[in-house]
Amino acid sequence: MSLIAWVGDAAAEVQLSRLRWAVLLLFSSYSLCNAFQWIQYGSVNNVFVRFYGVSAFAVDWLSMSYMLIYIPLLFPVAWLLDKRGLRLIALAGSALNAMGAWVKLGSLKPHLFPVTVLGQVICGLAQVFILGMPSRNASVWFGSQEVSTACSIAVFGNQLGIAAGFLVPPVLIPNVEDVDKLAYHISIMFFMTAGVASALFILVIIVFKEKPPSPPSRAQALIQSRPAAEYSYVQSILRLLRNANFLLLMVTYGLNVGCFYALSTLLNRMVIHHYPGEEVNAGRIGLTIILSGMAGALISGLWLDRTKTYKQTTLVVYIMSLVGMIVYTFTLSLGHLWVVFVTAGLLGFFMTGYLPLGFEFAAELTYPESEGTSSGLLNVSAQIFGIALTISQGQIIDRFGTKAGNLLLCSVLFLGTVVTAFIKADLRRQQANLENEQTVSKPPFNPCCALLLAQHNTQPLSFLGKGVACGEALCWRFQTGYNPSSASCWGLSLLSVNVMQNL
């Protein structure tokens, strides 16, 4: 009976849930709040340096702490995602995000820098439960024709949070000399953040569901029909690390997003160096980078859903990120802020627009492995390169100037472009959707199933009202299953015949 239920699950009706957009909006919202807390110190770096009486490098570490925390905690959180599902991860992420925001309210005195570090560390823990979720959330809730758009919108929320982190702190926290007034302005920002984070946590408790009642795509139906005993998290990691195309993508994604992290963290320092007293405009330049990147991410998602040209799109966007970085590098010091706005916008459109492309390309290359695991590995690569590039660029800027620091990022993006060209477009998820759409109307017939049915004198039976022979359906389930080394079609067919004889 369990084998029949197994096949029945695989043939489950595909249907889209109306709740999917509410779940996506809620995820994007608490991801936004977490991303805001990541960059809220860096966008007014000089102000916090003076308020807490610490070095600029110490304030930079408030941003880099997000990157450092993610690396060791990815694997336990990804394991928890696979074992307990989306809802628990969403609850943990939104709860930690709210907790970190409230802890920061206890750091409103110049001698309480360690408290604000603690709050930022807690928010960094929340990020581990958020950053790798866009592709998993999109795959579980959205159909094959909208999954890339949904992933882009999920990333869109995170980028909007970074945009708010560039825009809001310079407006709320003016660079005043009076420490008490400065503490008052900082408290306003911290109170607003804590209130929003708490409200989002409550909404997650009420609204966020584990998965829709019916699978949204054939590929997702097959994954959900897989017996739990068939899945091994360790084996999944090992399979990913043996996937050459995915390993190349890990490197290229890490290089690109690492450059973005370094640029975002050090932007205030670079702009203030060339345009003293322009803290607000430094934040607006960061906002321009993110807003144009959000447009790029959304357009990329729509383009992928329409064309499925993952490799070509990724390569073009990578090349244009390199071009944008080169243009930005040589225009930053010209003395015209409007030029910096334009070039930063061009850079952001492609560099930030690359983020969902990497997630979706990874999901294609690694299907049917968990999207949370593949996205998590991409993000580990990004955090490692982000820390290395932020420290390296910061040291180069201090010693040789901003142009030399930005040239480092140009060389890194050039290397990433070359490596991207060697990735093969092995679109496994798209292939699974196409094959299973065909099997719905006419399941594939395997000669070994026919032979065994004939040998055991078993007549084809109507299966689940679809007119499929039971032995044939089970053999089809095996052909499109997940563990080809565990059995042969011959053995599975024989098992199916024996089960039918015993019913």
Side-chain angles (χ1 to χ4, degrees):
M1 293 296 291
S2 61
L3 286 175
I4 292 176
W6 188 20
V7 179
D9 289 341
E13 180 183 359
V14 171
Q15 186 175 357
L16 296 177
S17 169
R18 293 181 179 178
L19 186 62
R20 68 191 189 281
W21 295 108
V23 169
L24 180 63
L25 177 62
L26 186 54
F27 170 80
S28 296
S29 298
Y30 73 78
S31 177
L32 180 157
C33 185
N34 184 256
F36 173 83
Q37 297 198 72
W38 167 59
I39 204 65
Q40 65 182 169
Y41 296 99
S43 60
V44 283
N45 180 290
N46 58 319
V47 175
F48 279 105
V49 164
R50 189 164 52 80
F51 180 73
Y52 287 116
V54 296
S55 67
F57 187 64
V59 176
D60 289 343
W61 265 110
L62 290 172
S63 295
M64 288 190 287
S65 65
Y66 264 54
M67 309 175 203
L68 186 64
I69 291 167
Y70 189 91
I71 297 169
L73 294 181
L74 159 70
F75 294 108
V77 171
W79 177 85
L80 193 62
L81 169 64
D82 287 329
K83 292 297 182 182
R84 300 298 299 273
L86 278 171
R87 177 171 166 81
L88 178 65
I89 298 299
L91 288 170
S94 55
L96 287 168
N97 187 58
M99 185 186 304
W102 284 106
V103 168
K104 291 178 184 180
L105 279 166
S107 64
L108 295 174
K109 298 291 184 180
H111 66 281
L112 294 176
F113 183 71
V115 178
T116 212
V117 171
L118 175 62
Q120 189 74 343
V121 167
I122 295 173
C123 292
L125 290 173
Q127 181 214 211
V128 186
F129 293 86
I130 296 172
L131 203 57
M133 296 301 296
S135 58
R136 176 63 175 267
N137 194 59
S139 294
V140 169
W141 282 92
F142 288 83
S144 60
Q145 298 303 313
E146 56 188 16
V147 63
S148 295
T149 303
C151 182
S152 297
I153 293 173
V155 175
F156 183 97
N158 190 270
Q159 298 308 300
L160 186 59
I162 299 175
F166 277 119
L167 177 65
V168 175
V171 174
L172 292 181
I173 307 176
N175 190 6
V176 296
E177 295 295 330
D178 191 304
V179 173
D180 291 334
K181 288 184 178 179
L182 198 55
Y184 170 73
H185 290 295
I186 293 173
S187 71
I188 293 175
M189 181 177 71
F190 284 171
F191 266 116
M192 290 173 58
T193 306
V196 170
S198 300
L200 289 171
F201 172 57
I202 294 171
L203 286 174
V204 168
I205 295 174
I206 298 171
V207 175
F208 207 100
K209 306 299 180 185
E210 178 63 40
K211 61 182 180 180
S214 300
S217 67
R218 297 292 170 192
Q220 191 61 213
L222 284 175
I223 289 177
Q224 292 182 13
S225 69
R226 177 177 56 189
E230 204 177 272
Y231 177 79
S232 167
Y233 177 68
V234 174
Q235 290 300 317
S236 176
I237 294 289
L238 293 177
R239 284 192 295 270
L240 288 175
L241 295 179
R242 288 193 295 264
N243 186 328
N245 290 316
F246 176 69
L247 290 178
L248 291 176
L249 182 62
M250 273 186 64
V251 173
T252 61
Y253 186 89
L255 292 174
N256 190 300
V257 181
C259 287
F260 169 71
Y261 287 161
L263 183 69
S264 300
T265 302
L266 301 173
L267 182 66
N268 174 267
R269 289 172 60 183
M270 289 190 286
V271 173
I272 295 301
H273 176 77
H274 292 288
Y275 305 93
E278 294 287 355
E279 289 88 358
V280 174
N281 275 322
R284 289 171 180 169
I285 291 170
L287 175 67
T288 302
I289 291 175
I290 303 304
L291 289 180
S292 59
M294 288 161 54
L298 188 58
I299 292 171
S300 296
L302 293 170
W303 176 258
L304 287 182
D305 279 332
R306 179 176 294 273
T307 66
K308 308 302 181 186
T309 54
Y310 291 85
K311 163 66 178 294
Q312 298 91 326
T313 304
T314 300
L315 184 58
V316 169
V317 170
Y318 220 116
I319 292 171
M320 294 307 298
S321 296
L322 171 60
V323 172
M325 190 70 219
I326 293 172
V327 174
Y328 172 80
T329 298
F330 289 98
T331 57
L332 179 62
S333 59
L334 292 181
H336 302 289
L337 266 175
W338 69 269
V339 175
V340 181
F341 273 95
V342 173
T343 56
L346 173 66
L347 172 62
F349 183 85
F350 294 103
M351 181 178 282
T352 311
Y354 174 82
L355 298 177
L357 287 178
F359 285 152
E360 283 299 284
F361 200 9
E364 291 290 338
L365 294 174
T366 61
Y367 178 87
E369 307 299 341
S370 167
E371 296 89 350
T373 306
S374 61
S375 297
L377 287 172
L378 291 185
N379 283 321
V380 164
S381 176
Q383 311 308 318
I384 292 172
F385 281 112
I387 292 173
L389 291 173
T390 300
I391 294 174
S392 300
Q393 188 186 17
Q395 294 297 316
I396 292 173
I397 288 173
D398 290 339
R399 296 184 182 184
F400 304 105
T402 58
K403 183 174 291 185
N406 285 328
L407 284 174
L408 169 67
L409 302 189
C410 291
S411 61
V412 168
L413 289 174
F414 176 76
L415 175 61
T417 302
V418 173
V419 176
T420 299
F422 288 95
I423 302 175
K424 295 181 180 179
D426 181 17
L427 306 183
R428 300 179 181 182
R429 185 174 64 181
Q430 291 303 314
Q431 186 65 27
N433 278 320
L434 291 173
E435 289 176 354
N436 286 287
E437 284 173 4
Q438 295 171 357
T439 60
V440 170
S441 59
K442 185 177 180 180
F445 189 76
N446 193 305
C448 71
C449 297
L451 177 60
L452 282 169
L453 287 170
Q455 285 178 342
H456 288 265
N457 196 26
T458 303
Q459 297 296 322
L461 301 175
S462 176
F463 184 74
L464 296 177
K466 300 295 184 181
V468 181
C470 183
E472 191 175 322
L474 285 166
C475 193
W476 162 79
R477 174 62 183 85
F478 172 75
Q479 288 173 307
T480 56
Y482 302 98
N483 193 6
S485 63
S486 64
S488 65
C489 181
W490 178 279
L492 185 60
S493 299
L494 182 59
L495 180 61
S496 69
V497 171
N498 289 335
V499 170
M500 288 304 299
Q501 289 177 336
N502 290 329
L503 290 177

